[in-house]
Structure formats: structure tokens, C-alpha cells
């Protein structure tokens, strides 16, 4: 059943052209099969890179912020995020447009993930059919990362393959 779902997604991807710029809306929709200048990898290759520790993994799935106007004493619980072990989570950095503070947050997060090595392979992901990771991989290229991989299936593909996940804590955003 899982294989059928991913086969159907691959067929839809062949019909989705790459936009000329970032995707600005409808982020959970079929994605293209390509990203100019980046490697597009599947779960098998992502696992190989992860096991060999030859790439930095960066999750860009959004995260709802804690509401600022919660009454004192109100309990707030973040939604847990199961992530590929060892990843850095940079929520909200896959939108088509970023505020300057979030663009800086993304740059600093990639520097942390790659230890400042812009030639190190960086794998960007979120979920299957998620334009956030496509946008983020494109953005990583534009800021000077020379070895970028986009893991289209994200944690959905990772989970379907029975690979381990761990609960992640995001890097604190500029306003936190």
C-alpha cells in the first residue's frame, strides 16, 4: 500500500513543472520531480547518507508559535515532531517569502548544521508533497551552498521505510 502511494506521487510529480521562483502558496501539494542545481533523492539514498554521516540533514517543517496573549498559567504544549535522528529543525524557513529575521535564522541554521562548510552536502526535507523543502533547498543554493539535496519524501518516506525517528526540538526562532 505504501509503495502504491509513493508510486502515485511520483507519477503526479512528473506532471508538476518547476516554478521560476519560490512557491508562495498551497505548500501541501504535489511537487516537481526536479530542482535545478540540486540532487533529488529518495529514501534509500537519504538513508545511505544518514548512515554514513556524510551529509547534514535539515528539516524545515513549520511549527505553530506559542500564542503571545495566553493568559498566565495557561498550559501550552508544542506538537511533537518526529524527525530523522541528528537533524536540525529550522521551522518556518520553507515559505516562499521570508522576513529578514527568518532569512538570517535560516542562514545561521545552515551554518550550524554544516559547521560553516558551504561545500558540505546538506539534505533539506519536511514531508511528502511539501513545497517547504523544495523552497528551502532552492534558497540554500541561492545563498551559496554548492552541494544541496532535496529529500522529497521527507519523514513520510522515512517512516514508511521503517527507519528510526526521534522527537525533535526546533532551533529557537528569532522571536523566541
Amino acid at each position: 500500500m505504501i509503495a502504491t502511494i509513493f508510486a502515485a506521487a511520483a507519477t503526479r510529480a512528473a506532471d508538476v513543472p518547476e516554478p521560476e521562483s519560490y512557491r508562495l502558496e498551497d505548500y501541501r501539494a504535489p511537487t516537481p520531480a526536479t530542482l535545478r542545481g540540486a540532487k533529488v533523492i529518495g529514501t534509500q539514498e537519504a538513508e545511505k547518507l544518514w548512515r554514513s554521516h556524510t551529509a547534514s540533514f535539515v528539516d524545515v517543517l513549520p511549527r505553530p508559535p506559542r500564542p503571545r496573549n495566553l493568559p498566565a498559567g495557561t498550559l501550552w504544549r508544542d506538537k511533537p515532531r518526529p524527525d530523522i535522528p541528528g537533524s536540525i529543525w529550522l521551522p518556518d524557513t520553507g515559505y516562499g517569502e521570508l522576513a529578514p529575521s527568518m532569512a538570517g535564522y535560516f542562514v545561521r541554521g545552515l551554518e550550524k548544521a554544516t559547521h560553516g562548510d558551504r561545500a558540505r552536502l546538506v539534505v533539506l526535507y519536511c514531508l511528502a508533497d511539501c513545497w517547504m523543502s523544495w523552497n528551502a533547498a532552492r534558497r540554500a543554493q541561492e545563498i551559496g551552498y554548492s552541494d544541496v539535496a532535496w529529500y522529497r519524501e521527507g519523514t513520510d518516506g522515512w517512516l514508511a521505510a521503517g527507519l528510526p525517528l526521534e522527537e525533535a526540538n526546533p532551533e529557537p526562532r528569532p522571536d523566541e
Side-chain angles (χ1 to χ4, degrees), residues 6-74:
F6 283 111
T11 301
R12 286 193 318 262
D15 299 331
V16 178
E18 280 190 50
E20 290 303 313
S21 189
Y22 296 107
R23 176 78 171 229
L24 300 174
E25 59 187 16
D26 197 17
Y27 295 106
R28 287 304 309 267
T31 55
T34 59
L35 174 55
R36 279 181 295 282
K39 297 175 188 130
V40 181
I41 63 173
T43 300
Q44 187 175 14
E45 188 170 352
E47 179 187 9
K48 181 180 173 185
L49 293 169
W50 176 73
R51 290 196 185 282
S52 68
H53 304 283
T54 55
S56 298
F57 282 73
V58 177
D59 182 7
V60 298
L61 185 76
R63 173 180 161 246
R66 183 182 193 281
R68 294 182 192 270
N69 58 349
L70 283 179
T74 302

Side-chain angles (χ1 to χ4, degrees), residues 39-155:
K39 297 175 188 130
V40 181
I41 63 173
T43 300
Q44 187 175 14
E45 188 170 352
E47 179 187 9
K48 181 180 173 185
L49 293 169
W50 176 73
R51 290 196 185 282
S52 68
H53 304 283
T54 55
S56 298
F57 282 73
V58 177
D59 182 7
V60 298
L61 185 76
R63 173 180 161 246
R66 183 182 193 281
R68 294 182 192 270
N69 58 349
L70 283 179
T74 302
L75 186 61
W76 169 259
R77 292 182 199 227
D78 276 328
K79 181 179 177 187
R81 170 67 176 145
D83 227 335
I84 297 171
S87 296
I88 185 170
W89 181 18
L90 302 174
D92 307 319
T93 56
Y95 289 107
E97 294 179 356
L98 296 181
S101 63
M102 288 304 291
Y105 167 74
F106 184 64
V107 169
R108 289 186 302 279
L110 288 181
E111 287 172 355
K112 180 178 179 180
T114 63
H115 306 286
D117 181 0
R118 289 191 178 203
R120 179 172 170 77
L121 176 59
V122 61
V123 177
L124 292 117
Y125 69 94
C126 57
L127 304 170
D129 286 335
C130 179
W131 280 87
M132 296 279 182
S133 54
W134 189 93
N135 282 343
R138 181 181 178 136
R139 185 170 284 119
Q141 290 177 59
E142 289 181 356
I143 62 174
Y145 284 83
S146 59
D147 200 1
V148 175
W150 172 41
Y151 176 31
R152 290 181 64 231
E153 298 163 20
T155 52

